[in-house]
Structures are given as C-alpha cells and as structure tokens.
C-alpha cells in the first residue's frame, strides 16, 4: 500500500483476512493505492510471484456538504423504522435519494412500494445507494407509522433540518424524489416520473442524470 504522497510501498499484511486490512490510521485527505501478490502456504510449493499492477486510487468516503446540509450536518443522526439511530456519515460515498412523502398522500402510497422494490434490488446488486425520508406528515404518530413500512432511514420528525430540507429542495408537491450523486451534486430534481433501473443507477453512479 502507498498514499499519493509516498514514493515507496509499505507492506501491510501477508493475509487479506488480517485485521491490518481494515481502515486504520488512514488520512481522509489522501488517496491510496494497493497491490497484492499470491503467497503459497506450503513451503515446498512456494513461488516468488511478482506484485500485481497498482489498483485505481481510493480514498476514504466523506459525507458531501450538500447531503450534510440536508440531513442536519455530518454529525447528525438518522432514524429507521425500527427506531434504530444511524449516523448520517453512513451516507458518505453513496448515491442518496431524498424522498419527500406523507402517509395521507395517495400518490405517495402508490410510489413508496415502487421505490422500496428498487431500493431492495439495488442493495441486492451491491450498489452504493441510500434513501433518506423527509416526512410531510402532520404529526409524529403518522410519521412513525409510515416510516415503519420503509426499509431506509429518515431525518427525525422533530429535527429542524427536516423543514429546512423541504424548503431547500423547493418541494411544492409530493411525492418528490431528489437524487444526489456520490459527490453531492444534484442529478435529478424529481425522479418520481423516471424509470428506475440498474441503468439509471449506473448513470447516477457515473455522475449523470438518468
């Protein structure tokens, strides 16, 4: 392994299963390169293989300022339908869809299962994709009940960031789905009418609108 500021390589571990392969003492401001080579276990079969070509550069994912502003800051806490609290930092490096919806809205109740199916398909395919729910419900009880049927996280109903996000996104009607790229750029101002598929996700991951 080496960083973009190092001239030489550092041997990290002799096994990819080692604890040393976990992210430790890495700088968020640096890019890193990795290479490997086979290592035969039996001494009599040991062969002096050469190192692989260096990997593409990789860096620690950081929550974009745009997403951070919508959820209440990089240190904010989100909530899921089970009542678990999840750090907003878990959104770093992912395509994030901000879903503005309400339980009393008929079109929302029709769109939510469609979005949930797409969400499940993308997670099964290993795509770095998350949805954050911004409630437009009229009370906490309705918000909690509606969220319990969703597989993603939400900004808490009583968080100031929720109202601020709805205003910032210019939400005038629901359902409303704003898609932000991995670097925080707005890719779709409202993707509700878009055909959501692996192709559209791949476009979003590449930083393009679908």
């Amino acid at each position: 392994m080496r960083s973009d500021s190092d001239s030489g390589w550092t041997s990290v571990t002799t096994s990819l299963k080692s604890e040393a392969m976990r992210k430790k003492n890495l700088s968020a401001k640096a890019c890193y390169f990795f290479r490997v080579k086979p290592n035969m276990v039996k001494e009599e079969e040991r062969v002096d293989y050469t190192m692989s070509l260096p990997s593409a550069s990789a860096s620690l994912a950081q929550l974009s300022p745009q997403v951070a502003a919508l959820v209440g800051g990089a240190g904010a806490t989100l909530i899921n339908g089970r009542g678990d609290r999840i750090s907003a930092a878990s959104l770093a490096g992912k395509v994030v869809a901000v879903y503005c919806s309400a339980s009393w809205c008929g079109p929302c109740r029709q769109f939510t299962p469609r979005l949930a199916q797409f969400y499940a398909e993308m997670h099964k395919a290993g795509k770095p994709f998350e949805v954050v729910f911004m409630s437009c419900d009229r009370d906490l009880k309705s918000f909690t009940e509606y969220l319990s049927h969703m597989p993603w996280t939400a900004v808490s109903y009583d968080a100031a960031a929720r109202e601020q996000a709805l205003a910032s996104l210019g939400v005038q009607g629901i359902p409303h789905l704003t898609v932000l790229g991995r670097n925080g750029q707005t890719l779709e101002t409202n993707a509700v009418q878009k055909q959501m598929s692996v192709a559209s996700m791949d476009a979003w991951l590449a930083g393009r609108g679908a």
Side-chain angles (χ1 to χ4, degrees):
M1 178 188 80
R2 73 172 179 84
S3 73
D4 52 2
S5 61
D6 294 330
S7 59
W9 292 87
T10 300
S11 179
V12 179
T13 179
T14 57
S15 171
L16 293 178
K17 296 180 180 180
S18 168
E19 291 284 323
M21 290 306 296
R22 298 185 179 182
K23 295 183 288 188
K24 292 182 179 179
N25 302 318
L26 301 184
S27 170
K29 298 180 180 179
C31 289
Y32 293 89
F33 302 85
F34 300 88
R35 60 183 188 176
V36 297
K37 73 174 181 178
N39 183 21
M40 303 302 291
V41 176
K42 295 181 179 179
E43 187 65 33
E44 62 271 17
E45 297 177 359
R46 189 174 298 278
V47 179
D48 188 19
Y49 290 98
T50 58
M51 283 286 183
S52 68
L53 293 173
S55 68
S57 65
S59 58
L60 295 178
Q62 290 182 293
L63 189 63
S64 69
Q66 297 92 329
V67 173
L70 291 172
V71 301
T77 300
L78 306 174
I79 188 171
N80 65 19
R82 299 185 300 275
D84 302 325
R85 297 198 171 271
I86 297 96
S87 170
S90 64
L91 302 174
K94 300 178 181 179
V95 170
V96 177
V98 181
Y99 181 39
C100 307
S101 179
S103 61
W104 50 262
C105 166
C108 297
R109 285 194 168 274
Q110 293 178 345
F111 180 73
T112 298
R114 177 185 158 204
L115 180 59
Q117 180 179 356
F118 177 67
Y119 179 85
E121 290 171 352
M122 294 305 99
H123 274 240
K124 184 176 181 180
K127 304 292 185 179
F129 174 62
E130 279 302 328
V131 175
V132 177
F133 174 45
M134 297 285 182
S135 176
C136 296
D137 265 306
R138 300 185 177 107
D139 56 71
L140 176 61
K141 182 179 179 181
S142 299
F143 159 77
T144 303
E145 193 278 333
Y146 195 28
L147 179 61
S148 70
H149 298 287
M150 298 177 177
W152 44 73
T153 59
V155 170
S156 297
Y157 186 80
D158 57 358
R162 183 180 65 85
E163 291 286 354
Q164 294 168 1
L166 293 173
S168 175
L169 295 170
V171 177
Q172 297 181 342
I174 53 176
H176 185 103
L177 187 72
T178 296
V179 179
L180 296 99
R182 302 172 82 171
N183 294 322
Q185 71 275 35
T186 299
L187 302 177
E188 311 284 357
T189 54
N190 191 357
V192 169
Q193 299 301 324
K194 294 275 185 176
Q195 181 177 1
M196 293 184 291
S197 63
V198 173
S200 58
M201 176 55 64
D202 288 342
W204 295 340
L205 289 170
R208 308 188 307 269

